[in-house]
Amino acid sequence: MSKIPETGRTSRVTIRLVTIQILVFSLLLTLGGRLWYLQIRNGDQYTAEAADNHIQQVVAPATRGSILDARGVPLADNETRLVVSASRTDLMKMRDRGKAVLTRLAGVLGLPADEVAAKVRLCDAKTPKPCWAGSPYQPIPITDEATTQQALQIRERAEDFPGITAEPTAVRRYAGPGESNTAQVLGYLSPVTDDEIMKAKNSRSPLLRSDQIGRSGLERQYDTELRGKAGVTRYEVDNLGRVIGKAKSDKAVPGANVVTSIDARVQAIAERELDQAMKDARKEIDRNTGVPYKADAGAVVVMESKTGRVVAMASNPTYDPNAWVGGISGKDYKALTGKDSNYPLLNRAIQGQAAPGSVFKVISATAAVNAGYSFTDNYNCSSSYSIGGQVFKNFESKGYGPINLGRALEVSCDTVFYDLAYRQWQKDGGNNPKNPKDWFYRTAHEFGLGKETGIDLPNEVRGRVPDREWKKSYWEANKDVWCKEKDKGDKGKAEDDYAAKIAKENCESGMRMRAGDSVNYSIGQGDTLVTPVQMATIYSAISNGGTLYNPTVGKAVVSPDGKNVRQIPPQSHGKLPFNGKTRDQLDAALAGVATNGSAAWRFEGWPQKEIPMHAKTGTAEVYGKQTTSWFATYTQDYTIVMTISQGGTGSGASGPAVRNIYNALYGVDEKGKIDGKKALLPHPEQKLPRIEKDGTIEAQKIEPPAPPARKEEEKQQ
């Protein structure tokens, strides 16, 4: 065996030592660089983060401001309840993910175990209600109706209920003063989500995990003002969680109070009268179908004519907003959102769209005058009107002979407006227009239709003016479907034949403004859609001389200490497109509707000299449904518009209810005499409620409204 030379062995050892030295030097260099990066380059950042790791925050939610009526009566405020909450974070750390704890808790609270468990699961697209839509790190309320005994059991047996708290907490209360409800106007609250927290992080009103925010109505519209700012107390703790000091803390700032123009007394009466009108309508037989009217939904708006302020706004079907307080149950959620619910969460006063029927004729009359037709000339009110073989009938096929536009409004003569619209359609070029003036469509836009009124409530809808631009876009979106459906008629079924005929017409010429479209449009039929608040805005503008006001519910925002009062003044968004002469002619005609026209039987005995009443009835036909009732009215003080879906005629279904609201406002008895002592609000409330030195707002006393005096014939129905 040969020996390795001594020099070779030394060389290998040297190489290994050098390699090791290089590795050690590299590691030291890397470690040194990392230490420089952590301690010098980003030292301040990590020092701050390390400090934060030793800071624990305790959040004290701010007291949410109240929503008050015009006289200071609370519509929404707060009350202290015993709230039982669960920490989902603590429950998820347990082996069974908190199942045993929640089961024991359900036993103490007397609730089904599966319902309690469902309340702490997180909401997603696949998870049914109830579930938790808020932050997973926020305490989740299980119930806000715990008894003192139940709360004591939970607190005394804390070892059996880890992650569970039971303590007095201020929760929202929807007071319902005087048996008023005001649900859709007020809205409701629900927990803030992580996405909302992130979006509001750099805003003027950041959100905390404990916050509840408004989801609809005034609660959403004025959420920033009402919510206030939560208090945060910061404690310094050691690595064992023991408190070693107190860091900088922020005091809670209560939310401001919102004073509204709503009068709870009038609101209660408006709700009651709307509900009663719908019940009465269901007792009447629809002569077209032979079955009772369904009267499945309705709305009423009471507005100050000279300011646009909303005195009452009711929507039916309705709901109890207190159902959302403390987390809504699965049963209640289904009742409010299911297919059979008829969607009571909708505020039909601003979100319910329907053809307006004859209440639209004030717009058509103005359009005719602006197009050059005289208000005082006579036009033939025949029982029917024919265009190209198609017959358009007057309502109830009644004719009045030659009458002027004022009388046509009084008796609601359809054929006069058919004729005017057809003449203008011909002037515009008929089926081959070149430069159409489109007075009837232009005037509707100038009256504010087809866009929001600007009311201070979220999710208002625009309605629709079916002008040429809309016709074209609608045809482009639907022509393929119509063209496929045009040959599917079944001669054995009239409905199928009719549907196929319409599909064929729409396929071939649906982009055109046809004569039938224009004449139907002139009486508020066809594809026109409006909301009750739009019509109330229009009729109040006729009353006040032509100013279109943004409807407003909020009247003032008052700071918690009462020292800062921000009033919300009425704002205008335009003028009606008529001169003073035309306005006065319309005003006189609408007064005639109430004294000598289609609404006269509903205002029999009304003190017209003392309180001049103006009205317009409307009965809108809807294909496949029963007629929609409309009733639009105004005095110099107030405008009231009511509508009932599938409720029958305007004066028939809505008339008595509107009359009873006016009776309550002005103190008018069934014989037409005015009793000032019984008048709830003979003139709109001008002042704000009294604010005390400590910031509290004095509330006027309110009692449930007395039932209206109904005539004998109404009692017998």
Side-chain angles (χ1 to χ4, degrees):
M1 180 182 292
S2 61
K3 294 184 178 179
I4 298 175
E6 192 66 30
T7 55
R9 182 178 298 172
T10 303
S11 177
R12 286 187 181 180
V13 171
T14 302
I15 292 171
R16 288 176 181 174
L17 288 173
V18 170
T19 302
I20 291 171
Q21 288 174 348
I22 291 171
L23 288 173
V24 171
F25 180 76
S26 298
L27 290 172
L28 290 173
L29 185 63
T30 301
L31 180 61
R34 184 62 177 166
L35 288 172
W36 174 86
Y37 179 83
L38 294 175
Q39 295 184 4
I40 299 176
R41 171 75 188 280
N42 284 6
D44 292 342
Q45 175 187 341
Y46 288 110
T47 299
E49 290 184 6
D52 286 344
N53 288 337
H54 292 82
I55 299 292
Q56 292 293 331
Q57 296 183 349
V58 177
V59 177
T63 301
R64 193 172 179 87
S66 298
I67 301 175
L68 311 170
D69 87 339
R71 300 164 70 244
V73 178
L75 301 173
D77 57 6
N78 307 290
E79 64 179 353
T80 301
R81 297 187 192 176
L82 282 172
V83 177
V84 176
S85 303
S87 168
R88 192 174 190 279
T89 303
D90 291 344
L91 294 175
M92 292 301 103
K93 292 177 182 179
M94 302 175 190
R95 289 185 177 181
D96 63 352
R97 303 175 74 82
K99 183 178 180 181
V101 173
L102 293 175
T103 301
R104 285 194 293 272
L105 179 63
V108 170
L109 298 176
L111 298 173
D114 56 349
E115 181 178 322
V116 172
K119 287 196 173 188
V120 299
R121 63 188 179 186
L122 301 181
C123 290
D124 57 30
K126 297 181 180 179
T127 304
K129 294 282 185 176
C131 57
W132 180 246
S135 169
Y137 304 104
Q138 177 185 339
I140 300 173
I142 304 299
T143 181
D144 60 2
E145 297 179 343
T147 65
T148 304
Q149 185 178 358
Q150 290 169 338
L152 287 173
Q153 278 187 268
I154 293 167
R155 301 190 71 164
E156 289 175 355
R157 295 164 51 197
E159 68 280 1
D160 292 333
F161 299 103
I164 306 298
T165 58
E167 54 190 16
T169 306
V171 298
R172 205 59 165 163
R173 178 183 73 130
Y174 298 97
E179 298 183 359
S180 63
N181 179 259
T182 332
Q184 293 88 355
V185 175
L186 293 172
Y188 59 91
L189 306 175
S190 71
V192 66
T193 65
D194 281 348
D195 287 343
E196 289 166 335
I197 292 173
M198 291 301 296
K199 289 179 181 178
K201 191 173 184 180
N202 297 319
S203 70
R204 293 182 179 180
S205 180
L207 296 167
L208 297 175
R209 297 189 189 281
S210 60
D211 282 331
Q212 298 246 329
I213 61 174
R215 294 299 179 191
S216 68
L218 294 171
E219 293 280 27
R220 176 175 169 181
Q221 186 73 26
Y222 293 98
D223 181 72
T224 302
E225 293 89 342
L226 290 165
R227 183 166 15 101
K229 186 177 180 181
V232 180
T233 302
R234 300 175 180 86
Y235 293 99
E236 296 181 17
V237 297
D238 61 16
N239 56 359
L240 296 177
R242 295 173 297 194
V243 176
I244 57 176
K246 193 175 182 180
K248 180 181 177 181
S249 299
D250 302 318
K251 291 183 177 180
V253 179
N257 299 312
V258 174
V259 178
T260 71
S261 54
I262 297 289
D263 188 298
R265 303 167 303 172
V266 181
Q267 178 71 27
I269 290 171
E271 291 171 359
R272 182 190 66 193
E273 290 301 326
L274 174 62
D275 186 63
Q276 187 62 49
M278 292 171 65
K279 290 177 179 176
D280 290 343
R282 294 178 195 131
K283 299 175 184 177
E284 298 295 322
I285 300 297
D286 180 359
R287 288 181 293 178
N288 295 321
T289 63
V291 298
Y293 286 107
K294 294 181 180 179
D296 54 350
V300 60
V301 178
V302 182
M303 184 184 292
E304 294 179 9
S305 296
K306 295 177 183 177
T307 65
R309 288 193 171 113
V310 176
V311 178
M313 177 180 284
S315 179
N316 194 308
T318 189
Y319 68 98
D320 180 4
N322 289 296
W324 293 90
V325 177
I328 192 167
S329 69
K331 181 181 178 181
D332 287 342
Y333 187 80
K334 184 178 180 180
L336 296 180
T337 61
K339 291 181 180 180
D340 298 329
S341 67
N342 203 12
Y343 308 108
L345 295 179
L346 284 178
N347 183 350
R348 285 172 164 82
I350 66 171
Q351 296 172 305
Q353 303 180 105
S358 293
V359 295
F360 184 82
K361 288 176 181 173
V362 293
I363 299 170
S364 294
T366 303
V369 172
N370 291 347
Y373 300 93
S374 172
F375 197 93
T376 56
D377 282 354
N378 282 338
Y379 306 93
N380 186 31
C381 179
S382 56
S383 61
S384 63
Y385 192 84
S386 297
I387 301 176
Q390 187 173 359
V391 178
F392 296 85
K393 293 184 178 182
N394 203 7
F395 185 69
E396 295 183 342
S397 300
K398 189 172 183 179
Y400 289 86
I403 58 176
N404 61 27
L405 272 181
R407 184 59 178 162
L409 286 171
E410 288 180 6
V411 298
S412 204
C413 179
D414 292 341
T415 51
V416 166
F417 292 95
Y418 290 154
D419 181 51
L420 290 169
Y422 183 59
R423 286 195 218 177
Q424 190 57 41
W425 177 81
Q426 288 179 315
K427 284 185 179 181
D428 283 339
N431 285 323
N432 299 294
K434 292 183 179 179
N435 295 298
K437 298 293 186 181
D438 285 337
W439 283 105
F440 283 76
Y441 300 97
R442 183 198 307 181
T443 303
H445 284 294
E446 291 172 337
F447 266 73
L449 296 184
K451 59 185 177 183
E452 296 91 343
T453 62
I455 190 170
D456 55 343
L457 289 173
N459 301 320
E460 180 188 5
V461 299
R462 300 165 58 108
R464 181 169 68 208
V465 176
D467 53 18
R468 295 180 192 275
E469 183 180 351
W470 178 84
K471 285 280 289 185
K472 183 179 178 181
S473 62
Y474 189 67
W475 177 75
E476 289 175 346
N478 294 279
K479 61 181 179 179
D480 292 341
V481 175
W482 287 330
C483 292
K484 288 180 181 179
E485 295 292 327
K486 67 178 182 178
D487 298 322
K488 291 186 177 181
D490 183 350
K491 294 183 179 180
K493 294 182 179 179
E495 292 180 1
D496 290 344
D497 282 346
Y498 179 76
K501 178 183 177 182
I502 296 298
K504 183 178 180 180
E505 290 179 4
N506 288 334
C507 169
E508 297 172 353
S509 60
M511 81 298 290
R512 294 180 181 175
M513 184 64 71
R514 295 171 293 214
D517 296 325
S518 292
V519 299
N520 256 334
Y521 167 82
S522 70
I523 63 164
Q525 295 285 173
D527 294 309
T528 308
L529 292 176
V530 302
T531 64
V533 76
Q534 285 177 327
M535 298 314 297
T537 301
I538 287 171
Y539 276 84
S540 67
I542 297 173
S543 171
N544 68 42
T547 302
L548 288 162
Y549 283 104
N550 297 359
T552 51
V553 183
K555 198 171 182 180
V557 177
V558 182
S559 63
D561 58 8
K563 296 179 180 179
N564 184 12
V565 179
R566 177 173 66 85
Q567 297 203 36
I568 303 170
Q571 292 186 343
S572 166
H573 62 267
K575 291 275 190 178
L576 293 183
F578 52 40
N579 57 30
K581 180 181 178 181
T582 302
R583 182 267 165 191
D584 291 344
Q585 289 170 328
L586 286 174
D587 186 69
L590 296 174
V593 174
T595 59
N596 193 36
S598 58
W601 68 302
R602 288 307 189 192
F603 286 106
E604 184 179 353
W606 179 261
Q608 189 72 7
K609 291 184 179 180
E610 295 86 351
I611 309 170
M613 178 63 66
H614 305 74
K616 187 70 195 80
T617 59
T619 306
E621 296 179 359
V622 183
Y623 177 68
K625 291 187 176 182
Q626 296 169 312
T627 54
T628 300
S629 167
W630 283 92
F631 204 53
T633 61
Y634 66 81
T635 63
Q636 64 177 1
D637 304 299
Y638 301 106
T639 297
I640 301 179
V641 171
M642 181 178 286
T643 183
I644 299 175
S645 168
Q646 302 195 89
T649 64
S651 59
S654 301
V658 171
R659 170 69 185 265
N660 285 332
I661 297 172
Y662 278 117
N663 288 346
L665 284 168
Y666 290 110
V668 179
D669 65 19
E670 58 182 328
K671 295 181 180 180
K673 293 183 179 181
I674 302 172
D675 185 347
K677 294 181 180 179
K678 293 183 178 179
L680 291 183
L681 203 62
H683 303 288
E685 186 71 54
Q686 299 293 330
K687 298 179 181 179
L688 292 175
R690 180 179 173 183
I691 304 172
E692 304 292 349
K693 292 183 179 180
D694 61 355
T696 58
I697 298 177
E698 181 181 347
Q700 299 287 329
K701 185 179 180 182
I702 184 169
E703 296 179 356
R710 299 185 182 273
K711 295 180 180 180
E712 286 301 319
E713 56 267 28
E714 292 180 17
K715 295 177 182 178
Q716 293 171 1
Q717 287 181 350

